[in-house]
Amino acid sequence: MGTDDLAKLVLRLTLGGLMLFHGVNKLIYGIGGVQYLVAQAGLPEMVAYGVYVGEIIAPVMLIVGWQVRVAALLIVINMFFALVLAHLGDLFALTSHGGWRLELQAFYLFTALAVLLLGAGRYAVQED
């Protein structure tokens, strides 16, 4: 068992599993807030439905290991939109505990970027 492939699996499952919670939350409670932010940016509200792609479809793709680089790219795009539309004002802000206010968003963005660069590994439905 190659540790590189095992590490890729852990990375994929972590990113996919944690991101999926955000998508399920939006399935349960809706995307009204996202639609508002998209409209405020002058984009069609229909763009907000892309959040389901980035937070449900792409994470499931990562978890099963199918089209992993595409899934990771979708999450990178999703996080770019999230940062620009909802979190740009926090770019240089810290929490009350001294952490970067965007550390969760940065985790998702840069972990997805790492998966995009690394690929699926051996433990995937579709190895690359």
Side-chain angles (χ1 to χ4, degrees):
M1 179 185 306
T3 58
D4 288 353
D5 290 315
L6 188 57
K8 290 175 185 179
L9 175 64
V10 169
L11 197 59
R12 281 188 6 244
L13 293 178
T14 301
L15 175 60
L18 293 176
M19 182 60 84
L20 191 56
F21 281 106
H22 291 271
V24 169
N25 180 271
K26 288 178 178 72
L27 273 178
I28 295 169
Y29 298 106
I31 60 168
V34 178
Q35 288 174 312
Y36 173 79
L37 292 171
V38 165
Q40 289 296 321
L43 299 169
E45 282 189 21
M46 190 172 134
V47 171
Y49 288 94
V51 77
Y52 290 128
V53 174
E55 295 184 11
I56 295 174
I57 295 171
V60 170
M61 291 168 67
L62 286 181
I63 291 167
V64 299
W66 180 73
Q67 293 289 320
V68 165
R69 291 181 196 267
V70 172
L73 178 61
L74 291 171
I75 292 175
V76 167
I77 292 167
N78 183 77
M79 291 314 303
F80 174 77
F81 271 90
L83 286 166
V84 170
L85 296 176
H87 301 289
L88 206 52
D90 294 328
L91 191 58
F92 299 106
L94 300 177
T95 67
S96 60
H97 300 287
W100 186 29
R101 191 170 305 273
L102 297 179
E103 58 191 27
L104 180 62
Q105 293 82 2
F107 166 80
Y108 287 130
L109 175 65
F110 293 115
T111 303
L113 184 59
V115 172
L116 175 64
L117 296 171
L118 290 169
R122 180 181 305 162
Y123 306 111
V125 170
Q126 181 185 38
E127 186 180 344
D128 53 14

